[in-house]
Amino acid sequence: MSTATETAETIIFRDGQLDLLDQTKLPTELTRLVCTNIEQAHDAIRRLVVRGAPAIGIAAAYGVLLQGRDADRQAFGEAMDYLATSRPTAVNLFWAMDRMRDVMNSHDDDATLYERLHREAVTIHDEDRRMCRSIGANGAALIQGCRNVLTHCNAGGLATSMWGTALAPIYHMHEQGKAPHVFADETRPLLQGARLTAWELSQAGVAVTVLTDSMSGGLMRCGKVDAVIVGADRIAANGDAANKIGTYPLAVLAKYHNIPFYVAAPTNTFDLKLPAGDQIPIEQRHRDEVARPGGVQFVPDAADVINPAFDVTPAELIDAIVTEKGVIRSPTTETVGQHFAN
């Protein structure tokens, strides 16, 4: 079994250039954007050419290298600071920049600094591939026997380097010929579920049905959803999880209908410095994404628009968090702490 993104890889770094699958053009165009400087990499992350917390971290790590082989320590540091301003919520971005900065600060030989930073970026990329497989195996145990699994936004191969997080258990089961049917919320306003999740699952041969975000409750009431699994962009120390806007009401609906609600994310998505989710910074995006989707005006100019990219789901609504290390059931500050201690 191969996923769509194994033939159209999300992130490639070669010949000193950052080559990205342009996710703003999917599903109608399979095109790539090549970045040759950090300004282009910053813009690609900000515009969602590359998106998904793990993929953002990988792209930013490679983006640092766009300063060039002859760049000095100061230039690399400035690149890290600049790339960290591209998106405010996904903690993997800052985690990746911290790793690159630690390497820079601990490496004394300026003549080989580029090679050492390049090696660290490749390591981050390789670790992500292993993470995807581990989350797939750990999460599959939670959804065994489910006929229909609902997901929100895109937390698949397009959001990482391989299988993704929320979709990794689906791909793991698909590899064994046992994948459940997937309901994919459209995920308004940018339709990552309809454009991206449905594309990559259908390319991989997984049965997928797209629904508008407002249909989820009705499907649950009719008994057509056995589990919900989503990704995350930042998870606080108590298990509160920030994910694409619309995730919180989905969790409330799942709790009301007694349907298990799972979050899948690597341990580098946790921000243990934040005790609770209320402290997670929420990105506010441009009004045109709501008012003029695809350049077509739907909202009158005199009307205000609110466009937060994420909301926060309290840990009490989450049945389990799946990481590459295992499963945190009924997440709390204590159980999250134990997971990291182990």
Side-chain angles (χ1 to χ4, degrees):
M1 190 277 295
S2 65
T3 67
T5 51
E6 287 171 341
T7 54
E9 195 162 349
T10 310
I11 302 166
I12 300 169
F13 187 80
R14 61 187 170 201
D15 301 326
Q17 298 181 333
L18 180 59
D19 185 338
L20 303 172
L21 178 64
D22 190 344
Q23 298 185 40
T24 66
K25 303 295 179 64
L26 290 172
T28 56
E29 294 182 44
L30 188 61
T31 61
R32 306 194 69 87
L33 176 71
V34 176
C35 302
T36 59
N37 58 58
I38 61 167
E39 289 78 17
Q40 292 170 346
H42 184 285
D43 182 65
I45 295 171
R46 182 188 60 79
R47 290 195 298 110
L48 311 183
V49 170
V50 59
R51 39 141 308 277
I56 289 171
I58 297 165
Y62 284 131
V64 171
L65 303 174
L66 296 177
Q67 287 288 57
R69 290 182 175 275
D70 297 329
D72 59 19
R73 192 172 298 266
Q74 179 178 344
F76 283 128
E78 289 173 353
M80 296 170 198
D81 292 341
Y82 177 59
L83 289 166
T85 67
S86 55
R87 299 284 305 274
T89 301
V91 75
N92 307 63
L93 169 62
F94 309 103
W95 168 85
M97 293 301 90
D98 286 344
R99 278 188 56 165
M100 297 292 278
R101 187 173 286 105
D102 287 345
V103 165
M104 180 179 70
N105 291 339
S106 63
H107 191 75
D108 295 330
D109 184 4
D110 286 0
T112 59
L113 180 56
Y114 177 92
E115 285 73 17
R116 184 64 188 87
L117 289 171
H118 180 267
R119 189 157 67 246
E120 186 66 13
V122 171
T123 298
I124 290 170
H125 201 170
D126 289 342
E127 287 175 357
D128 187 76
R129 294 187 182 97
R130 293 194 294 273
M131 172 276 294
C132 291
R133 280 204 171 271
S134 296
I135 287 181
N138 295 335
L142 296 176
I143 59 173
Q144 292 287 349
C146 291
R147 295 168 302 162
N148 298 293
V149 175
L150 191 147
T151 191
H152 188 71
C153 195
N154 173 260
L158 291 169
T160 61
S161 58
M162 188 185 150
W163 279 0
T165 54
L167 295 190
I170 305 295
Y171 286 130
H172 179 91
M173 295 173 69
H174 184 53
E175 201 170 49
Q176 302 170 342
K178 300 176 181 178
H181 166 262
V182 178
F183 283 116
D185 281 345
E186 272 185 320
T187 317
R188 295 180 178 178
L190 294 179
L191 305 177
Q192 292 97 327
R195 294 190 303 106
L196 306 180
T197 296
W199 179 79
E200 69 166 88
L201 286 174
S202 59
Q203 289 286 311
V206 177
V208 57
T209 300
V210 175
L211 57 149
T212 67
D213 296 3
S214 57
M215 293 178 185
S216 300
L219 286 177
M220 292 179 183
R221 185 172 183 272
C222 294
K224 294 184 178 180
V225 177
D226 300 309
V228 179
I229 186 165
V230 299
D233 283 74
R234 191 181 299 213
I235 303 175
N238 69 342
D240 294 349
N243 192 50
K244 185 56 58 186
I245 189 72
T247 302
Y248 168 59
L250 196 60
V252 173
L253 285 167
K255 178 67 73 174
Y256 179 82
H257 292 95
N258 198 31
I259 294 168
F261 184 92
Y262 304 124
V263 172
T267 49
N268 57 39
T269 297
F270 285 77
D271 188 347
L272 300 181
K273 298 187 297 295
L274 297 184
D278 289 345
Q279 296 171 289
I280 296 174
I282 301 298
E283 177 184 3
Q284 300 292 327
R285 293 189 61 83
H286 198 277
R287 69 169 274 130
D288 282 357
E289 293 179 350
V290 174
R292 298 176 60 87
V296 179
Q297 183 164 351
F298 287 99
V299 178
D301 292 335
D304 290 333
V305 165
I306 184 170
N307 188 18
F310 307 96
D311 55 26
V312 176
T313 299
E316 64 205 48
L317 298 179
I318 301 171
D319 290 274
I321 301 175
V322 185
T323 80
E324 76 279 14
K325 295 179 179 294
V327 177
I328 308 171
R329 296 183 183 273
S330 303
T332 62
T333 302
E334 290 71 29
T335 58
V336 170
Q338 290 168 6
H339 190 73
F340 278 84
N342 293 333

